[in-house]
Amino acid sequence: MFVLDWVPRTTTKDLDKELPGFEILMIKMKKIYVFLADGFETVEALAPIDVMRRAGLKVTTVSTMGRREVLSAQGVAVIADALLGDFSLADADALVLPGGSEGTENLSANAAVREEIERMNGEGKLLAAICAAPMVFGRMGLLKGHKATCYPGCETDLTGADYTAATVEKDGNFITACGPGVSFDFGFAIVEHFCAKDTVALLRSQMQFDR
């Protein structure tokens, strides 16, 4: 069982030393909410969360199941930081949806989830989804006219989107990714949206990602 309610300190400290603007970034910390539903893909949630927290972004995991414990598609129990509906997401800078077939269907069927997505899209906030989860945006008609990617076979639900089959695609206020194998790249893309490219380069180096 994982409890996701902490922010690693070692990497952010190193970033503060090496990047002059990082201290300012930390003061104006961006708030990212990751929605978790039963059946989410473990790596598609935990890898981006790890990357975003290393970069100093404030990540809050939100259960959409009415209970804090959420079970991944691989049987990993995660204790979310909060429950959807128990607090306001008005301060959100981004919303992230992990994929997974069951997880995506649970998110898509949740009216409160769709309401938050609609509100954030109207405000131009970042909406990010990976694997099957871009279907949530697609079914709502939000990807019309946008380049987008997803797990192969799910593109039929990306209504009106320009499906590119890329590993990670960014267009406007949307970031989409194709599957579990690009979970770290997905996380780096979210970080790059808010931080300097130097931050991503340093993270990749510290994590030995490009060896």
Side-chain angles (χ1 to χ4, degrees), residues 125-145:
K125 301 293 182 62
L126 181 67
L127 296 170
I130 183 171
C131 195
M135 293 195 300
V136 179
F137 303 151
R139 290 169 179 172
M140 296 174 65
L142 303 182
L143 294 177
K144 290 179 180 178

Side-chain angles (χ1 to χ4, degrees), residues 23-40:
E23 185 175 358
I24 297 174
L25 169 68
M26 293 296 291
I27 293 172
K28 299 179 179 179
M29 188 179 287
K30 299 296 183 179
K31 295 183 179 179
I32 318 296
Y33 292 93
V34 179
F35 279 7
L36 300 178
D38 283 346
F40 71 90

Side-chain angles (χ1 to χ4, degrees), residues 48-211:
I49 288 170
D50 178 279
V51 169
M52 291 186 288
R53 285 181 170 172
R54 286 175 188 268
L57 302 177
K58 180 172 176 55
V59 181
T60 300
T61 55
V62 181
S63 169
T64 64
M65 303 303 298
R67 47 179 157 75
R68 288 186 64 198
E69 182 174 301
V70 189
L71 193 65
S72 80
Q74 290 71 40
V76 178
V78 170
I79 305 300
D81 300 323
L83 297 180
L84 183 62
D86 280 359
F87 67 105
S88 171
L89 275 71
D91 63 349
D93 294 292
L95 174 61
V96 179
L97 306 182
S101 179
E102 180 188 356
T104 295
E105 293 304 325
N106 282 331
L107 291 172
S108 189
N110 190 314
V113 169
R114 298 195 306 273
E115 182 179 338
E116 288 297 340
I117 291 171
E118 195 75 57
R119 178 187 62 79
M120 289 188 63
N121 184 59
E123 296 174 0
K125 301 293 182 62
L126 181 67
L127 296 170
I130 183 171
C131 195
M135 293 195 300
V136 179
F137 303 151
R139 290 169 179 172
M140 296 174 65
L142 303 182
L143 294 177
K144 290 179 180 178
H146 289 278
K147 292 181 180 179
T149 191
C150 62
Y151 192 81
C154 296
E155 64 270 17
T156 55
D157 278 28
L158 302 189
T159 307
D162 177 9
Y163 173 64
T164 66
T167 54
V168 179
E169 191 68 70
K170 185 178 189 304
D171 190 5
N173 62 313
F174 291 94
I175 294 176
T176 52
C178 70
V182 300
S183 296
F184 282 101
D185 290 321
F186 178 58
F188 290 134
I190 297 169
V191 170
E192 188 171 324
H193 179 82
F194 292 110
C195 308
K197 287 187 177 181
D198 287 347
T199 303
V200 175
L202 181 57
L203 275 174
R204 292 175 69 97
S205 174
Q206 290 177 334
M207 295 173 70
Q208 301 290 284
F209 198 82
D210 295 319
R211 291 193 63 178

